[in-house]
Amino acid sequence: MYSVIRPAIQTRGTLSHSLSLSLSKQPPRVSPSSFPSTLRFSSIATLKKKNFDATLANSVRNSSNSGNSRAIRNISTGNSTATASSSSSSSSSSSTPTLATNLRSIPPALPNKTIRSILATAVPDSTVKVQGWVRSARHQKNITFVELNDGSSLKGVQAILSGGEGKGLVTGTSLELEGKLVKSEGKEQAYDLQVTSLKVIGSCDGETYPLQKKRHSFEFLREISHLRSRAKTASAILRLRSASVWGFQKFFESQEFTQVHTPLLTTHDCEGGGEVFKIAPRISARAQQQYEEQQQRQKQGALQKSDANTDTQLNPSTMTTSVSAPAPSEFFGSPVYLTVSGQLHLEIIASALSRVFTMGPVFRAEPSMTPRHLSEFWMLEAEIAFLNKLDHLLDFSEACLKETTRFLLESCAEDIEFLNTWVDKSLKGRLHHLVNEPFKRMTYTEAIRILQEAVIAGDVKFEFEPKWGQGLQSEHEKWLAGTYCQGPVFVTDYPAGLKPFYMRKNDPPLSYLSSPSSSSSSSSSSSSSSSSSSSSSSSISSSNSSSSSSSSSSSSSSSTNSNSNNGSSSGGSTKVGKQEEEDRTTVGCVDLLVPGIGELMGGSLREERHEVLKKQLWEFGLDQEEYQWYLDLRKYGTTPHGGWGIGFERYMLMVTGMDNVRDIIPFPRYNHYCKF
């Protein structure tokens, strides 16, 4: 049996389908002119916080007869409108190409409502029933105040039990309460629940229960990870995690992408780093015995045949026979590994469906113990056919992150406000900056020059010297994004030697071609990528540099703990410091660096030329026969294409303000740690 099971991607559930009825009539926030015609951005209907309560109330009360709403999204113009079905039918039949999506409200499929929906649709003096866990209990003479929470929202409901009925209730107990909703006299909540019926579903040992009404350190919560989801911070992170998945999916839906489920078991290492987990089945003692008995019977049968033929003498010790069952060490007949990326599989599907994405767990056998590395994490990856400019890939990446983050700010305001108060007081400011300000852009060569100049000026000291041809370390990435750019920055065009075989090589720098023996310090004004639409990216605030992204989500550092979803650097050399003569070939790739985290996203243009790719396989020492299927994609109707991968846990670090990646995934797996 195998210990690898693919988790299902979470969705927001029935309530979320109802909430999707609130549509934005605003024009797209991202200018369509910034995208190629094949990737014009049309914003999906956006949830507005000011309409939240009314929308939720209407959808819950009238779920049985509110199924006629329809959203019509004009893909060619980017306009989004919401109309009733009676008026939308004529619009959908117009000559302008449109994509009509029914947003029928799905009625509740469970008998009980969540506390979130009860409070959002509250009617004073109405009788309701709630279930949840006691988060705190305050006992007074003849009255007990209980905060009950079921995880559907940050704040639960305050229940008031009189007549000594709540005596003995402790934190952690699961209850079912029935009573009347009344206007609250307190400032923390709008309604209180006057309890008329109490049912203890599951008691809790208050003396040993580790979660009490006080602040617990994240280190302590990691030690009780089977209970930490009941803590406010952990539950807020889980709701944001679910909403982020939904936000990304809605963005890709708006861009007409198809979701693909790529395999967890693979025969190749996409990144070529060799840091993979090899699959080996656990064979039971009985199965092993049967296998050995089968081998023995076949050998004996072969010996009996040899006795009948005196001309043939067989040595049992050296004789080999075919066995129907595979050897236990190679269940599939060849080595198989846990995937490190779904990119190559996505390229297969993109060659037929054009725009595809996937989201699932990936695995890296890295012995790293840093707070931003895991052995199992989730990756969001996209591949786009007919994409020949790196600028377009960067535009698309920026829009994806901006729209998803904006969605979180609008739909998860309560959880973000809580994290901004108790975890990182600059969180909201950074997120608003991310969605409102353009991402800066620079080439790898420019990044190295900036880092070297900062060192010479004494502005900063690095443990690792920034040098052309070497990967950017985490300290370099954080300084560039946090101190120098003070916001997200795309770094493009890394040296070819730092990146995987599938990335498209840029044209060599003009200075390198004209004077191959000259010092590299004279090539800082190198030509742009052959696949880029801009020849210069020196203006990090506005220029469109030509870069392509790698498929990995991890850091591009060149240390043994490097997680490169390798970006690439633009050709050219820095004027700071004298460097030896070297190959300045770069590839069209990109890494997105964000403050406090470093690399968030990596991507690239993929090499679509058959002969060039064949040569790169040879240069990387890869078996051409093993990658023949990959070459076939270039042989039969090849197209320019590109894609990227976002480390989902690193994105969660960015939108939660947390410092350690182990705190934003429910079940962390890392070196020497794998519980449950």
Side-chain angles (χ1 to χ4, degrees):
M1 72 182 289
Y2 293 89
S3 59
V4 177
I5 301 177
R6 187 183 185 95
I9 294 181
Q10 301 175 350
T11 62
R12 296 289 287 178
T14 301
L15 179 61
S16 296
H17 287 285
S18 299
L19 296 182
S20 63
L21 289 172
S22 177
L23 305 178
S24 169
K25 296 185 179 181
Q26 299 179 3
R29 296 179 176 87
V30 181
S31 172
S33 63
S34 64
F35 292 88
S37 58
T38 55
L39 285 175
R40 285 280 165 84
F41 178 72
S42 172
S43 177
I44 191 67
T46 308
L47 181 66
K48 294 297 182 183
K49 188 179 185 304
K50 63 181 180 181
N51 295 328
F52 174 78
D53 292 342
T55 303
L56 181 58
N58 291 333
S59 61
V60 172
R61 290 171 183 159
N62 305 316
S63 58
S64 61
N65 58 11
S66 61
N68 294 326
S69 295
R70 176 174 295 179
I72 300 177
R73 290 169 293 140
N74 191 321
I75 298 300
S76 63
T77 63
N79 295 327
S80 175
T81 62
T83 64
S85 60
S86 59
S87 61
S88 65
S89 57
S90 60
S91 300
S92 61
S93 61
S94 64
S95 59
T96 303
T98 60
L99 176 62
T101 303
N102 286 322
L103 295 178
R104 181 181 67 85
S105 176
I106 301 176
L110 293 173
N112 303 322
K113 293 181 179 180
T114 64
I115 292 177
R116 178 179 178 227
S117 64
I118 288 173
L119 294 179
T121 60
V123 177
D125 299 325
S126 61
T127 300
V128 298
K129 182 188 293 185
V130 297
Q131 296 91 14
W133 293 269
V134 175
R135 187 164 274 174
S136 66
R138 293 185 291 115
H139 302 282
Q140 297 181 1
K141 263 191 176 182
N142 297 316
I143 194 170
T144 300
F145 295 93
V146 172
E147 181 187 355
L148 198 70
N149 190 285
D150 64 356
S152 60
S153 61
L154 180 68
K155 295 180 180 179
V157 61
Q158 178 171 269
I160 303 175
L161 299 95
S162 57
E165 193 175 10
K167 286 185 177 180
L169 291 180
V170 297
T171 301
T173 305
S174 58
L175 303 176
E176 179 179 278
L177 303 177
E178 188 172 354
K180 182 183 295 185
L181 281 178
V182 297
K183 288 285 187 178
S184 177
E185 297 180 359
K187 297 180 180 180
E188 296 296 325
Q189 62 279 332
Y191 292 94
D192 290 334
L193 179 64
Q194 293 281 5
V195 178
T196 58
S197 174
L198 163 67
K199 179 181 178 181
V200 176
I201 298 175
S203 60
C204 181
D205 186 347
E207 294 185 359
T208 60
Y209 185 60
L211 292 173
Q212 299 299 325
K213 190 179 179 180
K214 64 177 183 178
R215 294 197 66 184
H216 298 287
S217 69
F218 296 129
E219 290 78 10
F220 172 75
L221 292 175
R222 282 182 220 131
E223 296 175 1
I224 55 167
S225 52
H226 59 296
L227 295 173
R228 70 172 175 174
S229 55
R230 299 189 189 184
K232 282 188 176 182
T233 302
S235 62
I237 291 171
L238 289 173
R239 285 187 294 271
L240 277 166
R241 189 180 177 97
S242 178
S244 298
V245 174
W246 193 33
F248 280 121
Q249 288 176 327
K250 290 301 180 183
F251 174 82
F252 281 112
E253 177 188 349
S254 75
Q255 304 301 304
E256 300 183 86
F257 274 65
T258 300
Q259 184 172 10
V260 177
H261 296 154
T262 54
L264 295 187
L265 302 183
T266 181
T267 58
H268 61 263
D269 172 14
C270 175
E271 292 302 308
E275 297 162 335
V276 296
F277 290 101
K278 185 177 180 180
I279 288 292
R282 185 177 64 185
I283 305 298
S284 66
R286 177 57 181 164
Q288 182 69 26
Q289 181 182 356
Q290 291 175 340
Y291 176 79
E292 293 173 354
E293 290 174 352
Q294 182 185 22
Q295 283 187 315
Q296 187 63 30
R297 286 194 300 269
Q298 290 187 359
K299 284 186 177 182
Q300 290 176 352
L303 285 173
Q304 291 173 358
K305 288 182 180 180
S306 68
D307 290 342
N309 186 354
T310 56
D311 296 334
T312 303
Q313 298 295 328
L314 298 179
N315 184 352
S317 62
T318 60
M319 181 179 59
T320 60
T321 60
S322 61
V323 182
S324 59
S329 61
E330 297 294 356
F331 180 88
F332 294 98
S334 62
V336 172
Y337 311 95
L338 290 178
T339 183
V340 299
S341 170
Q343 177 203 318
L344 301 189
H345 300 100
L346 278 183
E347 288 191 58
I348 294 176
I349 309 302
S351 69
L353 301 186
S354 297
R355 304 178 184 186
V356 294
F357 78 100
T358 189
M359 184 173 184
V362 295
F363 308 85
R364 304 285 171 87
E366 296 175 338
S368 174
M369 297 294 288
T370 72
R372 66 176 194 153
H373 288 93
L374 292 169
S375 296
E376 177 189 11
F377 56 97
W378 285 66
M379 280 274 287
L380 175 69
E381 298 177 274
E383 285 294 321
I384 308 167
F386 306 102
L387 187 77
N388 59 2
K389 294 183 183 298
L390 193 60
D391 293 330
H392 295 165
L393 186 65
L394 269 60
D395 292 339
F396 180 77
S397 308
E398 184 171 345
C400 178
L401 289 170
K402 283 179 179 288
E403 289 302 312
T404 302
T405 304
R406 182 179 284 113
F407 171 76
L408 294 182
L409 286 168
E410 295 170 348
S411 62
C412 300
E414 184 181 46
D415 289 321
I416 292 177
E417 185 65 44
F418 171 80
L419 295 171
N420 188 79
T421 301
W422 297 102
V423 176
D424 182 356
K425 296 187 183 300
S426 63
L427 174 63
K428 286 177 61 178
R430 287 202 312 274
L431 296 184
H432 281 288
H433 181 274
L434 183 143
V435 301
N436 294 321
E437 299 296 329
F439 293 3
K440 295 179 174 63
R441 302 180 182 189
M442 67 174 68
T443 64
Y444 164 90
T445 300
E446 290 169 335
I448 292 295
R449 174 182 57 78
I450 291 168
L451 292 167
Q452 291 177 336
E453 288 177 346
V455 171
I456 292 175
D459 297 335
V460 64
K461 290 183 179 180
F462 295 118
E463 179 181 356
F464 297 95
E465 177 189 1
K467 184 178 180 181
W468 205 98
Q470 296 182 358
L472 295 179
Q473 300 295 321
S474 176
E475 58 179 346
H476 304 150
E477 296 172 343
K478 291 180 179 180
W479 185 86
L480 285 170
T483 302
Y484 187 80
C485 295
Q486 298 182 0
V489 54
F490 287 117
V491 180
T492 67
D493 305 313
Y494 282 70
L498 297 178
K499 298 302 178 181
F501 72 94
Y502 52 76
M503 293 188 177
R504 199 183 199 281
K505 287 186 177 180
N506 294 328
D507 291 336
L510 294 177
S511 58
Y512 181 73
L513 289 175
S514 60
S515 181
S517 62
S518 63
S519 169
S520 62
S521 63
S522 64
S523 58
S524 60
S525 58
S526 64
S527 66
S528 70
S529 164
S530 61
S531 55
S532 167
S533 63
S534 172
S535 63
S536 170
S537 59
S538 60
S539 174
I540 63 173
S541 62
S542 61
S543 71
N544 290 329
S545 56
S546 65
S547 64
S548 151
S549 72
S550 87
S551 64
S552 146
S553 67
S554 30
S555 162
S556 65
S557 69
S558 62
S559 64
T560 56
N561 293 334
S562 162
N563 268 352
S564 59
N565 228 8
N566 298 319
S568 27
S569 70
S570 84
S573 59
T574 176
K575 294 182 179 180
V576 179
K578 186 175 181 180
Q579 299 182 8
E580 296 179 357
E581 212 175 291
E582 55 189 327
D583 183 3
R584 286 293 174 122
T585 304
T586 62
V587 290
C589 70
V590 59
D591 283 347
L592 175 62
L593 312 181
V594 296
I597 296 172
E599 183 187 352
L600 174 66
M601 182 212 78
S604 72
L605 296 179
R606 318 307 190 193
E607 181 55 71
E608 85 281 6
R609 298 164 292 187
H610 182 271
E611 293 303 317
V612 176
L613 180 61
K614 183 187 292 188
K615 181 181 178 182
Q616 290 184 191
L617 286 171
W618 178 82
E619 290 176 349
F620 277 80
L622 298 175
D623 186 357
Q624 182 174 322
E625 183 177 350
E626 181 182 350
Y627 285 91
Q628 185 58 50
W629 63 270
Y630 197 61
L631 289 169
D632 284 349
L633 298 178
R634 279 71 177 168
K635 186 177 180 181
Y636 305 118
T638 186
T639 67
H641 61 287
W644 46 252
I646 294 176
F648 187 60
E649 276 69 33
R650 292 196 182 178
Y651 177 77
M652 291 306 302
L653 285 178
M654 183 182 72
V655 298
T656 61
M658 299 293 288
D659 294 326
N660 197 314
V661 71
R662 300 169 191 172
D663 297 324
I664 46 84
I665 187 170
F667 306 104
R669 275 85 172 90
Y670 50 90
N671 194 25
H672 299 306
Y673 185 89
C674 184
K675 292 182 66 175
F676 317 121

